[in-house]
């Protein structure tokens, strides 16, 4: 393991920091009153101003955001434990069983009881528990990855190592975009893939990720997705693909800080690989370990970067 040079740590505008702190507060109190009037009181802003700022940062209105997160967590509970539907609805902050059922059916195109009866495509308590944990931590931030923080200052050094990476299955949406469109692409792709997996009972096994099969000077190909326990057995929608990433050796590091400074970490990885006589053996990917919706300080955000490699010394012999 090697310690590398300085990169950058963010200084966040007071307005953005306040909204991130508000999101963290909301996500810890979803069983209570998180209406717009209450959020405005917490933020010490007018309802109109908060609504406008919230939607600009998150991409959803406060009501749409809280309803979506509550329903996602409720859906995960339905297939991971045997609690009564009314109890789950109450714990997730819905006023009544009827209100919950109507909202759930609109969101997932089936009633809570039918959703529970179908269950996950991959059965088992461990799979269900993993799915529930992944949904609970991912739902609040599914549209916030690669949130841009423009003001920066020196950050903590980076550490890099080589390790064996296991194979995994995933659902992704693939798009060709300009380099400055990553955040917008993920804000569109990740919620779509996440919602599809929940709607169709596919067990989610970890945080969202972005993979880069092709990187050019002016554009790149990005695959935004989530890991799942097993490939789906039915045909997917036109936009969503199922992929399997093979096991192998890879250079791995954890980037700590805002998404804006991820390019500097990739540059450090490339330099380290040259020094270690390693060459890339496939597309890199980054997994978003920290939930921006629950951790308001960008300096604490962690993103794992994985670059599959082959050893050029062994290859040449």
């Amino acid at each position: 393991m090697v310690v590398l040079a300085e990169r950058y740590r963010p200084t966040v505008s007071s307005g953005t920091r306040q909204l991130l702190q508000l999101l963290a507060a909301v996500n810890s109190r979803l069983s209570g009153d998180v209406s717009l009037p209450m959020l405005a009181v917490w933020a010490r802003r007018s309802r109109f101003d908060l609504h406008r700022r919230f939607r600009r940062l998150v991409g959803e209105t406060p009501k749409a955001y809280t309803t979506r997160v509550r329903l996602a967590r409720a859906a995960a509970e339905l297939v991971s434990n045997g609690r009564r539907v009314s109890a789950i609805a109450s714990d997730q902050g819905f006023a009544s069983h009827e209100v919950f059922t109507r909202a759930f059916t609109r969101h997932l195109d089936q009633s809570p009881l039918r959703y529970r009866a179908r269950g996950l495509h991959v059965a088992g308590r461990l799979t269900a528990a993993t799915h529930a944990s992944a949904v609970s931590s991912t739902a609040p931030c599914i549209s916030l990855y690669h949130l841009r923080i423009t003001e920066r200052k020196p950050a903590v050094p980076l550490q890099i190592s080589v390790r064996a990476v296991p194979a995994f299955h995933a659902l992704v949406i693939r798009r060709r975009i300009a380099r400055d469109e990553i955040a917008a692409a993920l804000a569109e792709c990740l919620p779509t893939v996440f919602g599809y997996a929940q709607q169709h009972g596919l067990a989610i096994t970890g945080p969202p990720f972005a993979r880069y099969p092709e990187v050019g000077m002016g554009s790149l190909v990005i695959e935004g997705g989530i890991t799942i326990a097993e490939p789906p057995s039915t045909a997917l929608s036109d936009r969503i693909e199922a992929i399997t990433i093979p096991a192998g050796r890879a250079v791995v590091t954890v980037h700590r800080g805002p998404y804006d400074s991820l390019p500097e970490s990739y540059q450090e990885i490339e330099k380290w690989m040259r020094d270690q006589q390693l060459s890339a053996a496939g597309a890199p990917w980054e997994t978003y370990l920290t939930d921006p919706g629950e951790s308001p300080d960008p300096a604490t955000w962690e993103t794992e970067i994985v670059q599959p490699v082959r050893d050029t010394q062994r290859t040449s012999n």
Side-chain angles (χ1 to χ4, degrees), residues 71-83:
L71 288 172
R73 289 175 171 174
E77 273 209 76
L78 285 169
V79 295
S80 63
N81 63 53
R83 298 179 66 215

Side-chain angles (χ1 to χ4, degrees), residues 11-315:
T11 55
V12 187
S13 69
S14 59
T16 299
R17 184 180 297 277
Q18 183 186 51
L19 281 176
L20 289 171
Q21 291 171 340
L22 179 64
L23 277 178
V26 167
N27 287 305
S28 66
R29 297 175 173 86
L30 279 174
S31 60
D33 184 1
V34 288
S35 62
L36 180 59
M38 181 58 69
L39 298 187
V41 171
W42 290 352
R44 297 182 181 179
R45 293 185 179 276
S46 71
R47 299 180 191 181
F48 175 80
D49 184 51
L50 177 62
H51 189 280
R52 176 177 58 84
R53 289 172 178 267
F54 192 102
R55 186 166 189 172
R56 185 170 59 190
L57 177 73
V58 181
E60 298 173 282
T61 66
K63 182 177 181 179
Y65 175 84
T66 55
T67 300
R68 176 182 59 77
V69 176
R70 283 169 163 170
L71 288 172
R73 289 175 171 174
E77 273 209 76
L78 285 169
V79 295
S80 63
N81 63 53
R83 298 179 66 215
R84 289 182 300 127
V85 174
S86 59
I88 293 174
S90 177
D91 284 354
Q92 293 300 332
F94 288 92
S96 68
H97 182 283
E98 292 73 19
V99 170
F100 169 68
T101 298
R102 286 196 299 269
F104 191 97
T105 303
R106 284 196 303 269
H107 186 68
L108 290 169
D109 293 329
Q110 54 197 301
S111 71
L113 290 177
R114 184 176 179 184
Y115 188 86
R116 167 175 273 174
R118 185 199 59 189
L120 294 171
H121 285 201
V122 181
R125 290 185 178 180
L126 180 58
T127 298
T130 300
H131 170 78
S133 176
V135 168
S136 180
S137 62
T138 300
C141 55
I142 196 65
S143 65
L144 295 176
Y145 296 108
H146 269 266
L147 179 70
R148 295 183 68 86
I149 305 295
T150 56
E151 303 172 44
R152 297 179 292 176
K153 63 182 182 180
V156 179
L158 186 67
Q159 293 182 320
I160 296 179
S161 63
V162 178
R163 69 179 71 161
V165 176
F168 64 89
H169 306 292
L171 292 183
V172 301
I173 292 178
R174 182 182 295 111
R175 289 186 54 188
R176 180 176 292 278
I177 59 172
R179 285 176 174 266
D180 62 356
E181 295 175 338
I182 294 177
L186 292 181
E188 176 187 344
C189 296
L190 293 181
T192 301
V193 173
F194 181 81
Y196 184 92
Q198 276 217 298
Q199 185 175 1
H200 292 83
L202 302 176
I204 300 170
T205 57
F209 70 94
R211 186 168 176 262
Y212 301 96
E214 183 182 330
V215 178
M217 292 297 292
S219 67
L220 54 84
V221 174
I222 188 172
E223 293 174 341
I226 55 171
T227 57
I228 53 176
E230 288 186 3
S233 57
T234 57
L236 300 172
S237 71
D238 292 338
R239 302 175 60 200
I240 299 175
E241 301 177 40
I243 64 172
T244 298
I245 305 300
R249 294 174 70 241
V251 168
V252 181
T253 191
V254 174
H255 167 93
R256 292 177 175 85
Y259 305 122
D260 306 59
S261 54
L262 277 166
E264 285 91 338
S265 290
Y266 279 100
Q267 291 172 7
E268 295 288 1
I269 290 172
E270 291 176 5
K271 179 179 181 299
W272 189 83
M273 287 171 56
R274 289 195 299 269
D275 293 342
Q276 300 297 314
Q277 295 187 303
L278 295 167
S279 60
W285 67 86
E286 57 197 36
T287 302
Y288 307 112
L289 305 179
T290 305
D291 179 353
E294 295 184 336
S295 300
D297 184 1
T300 67
W301 296 350
E302 294 188 343
T303 305
E304 183 181 66
I305 301 174
V306 179
Q307 172 60 69
V309 294
R310 57 176 172 269
D311 192 324
T312 55
Q313 288 182 319
R314 294 179 183 175
T315 303

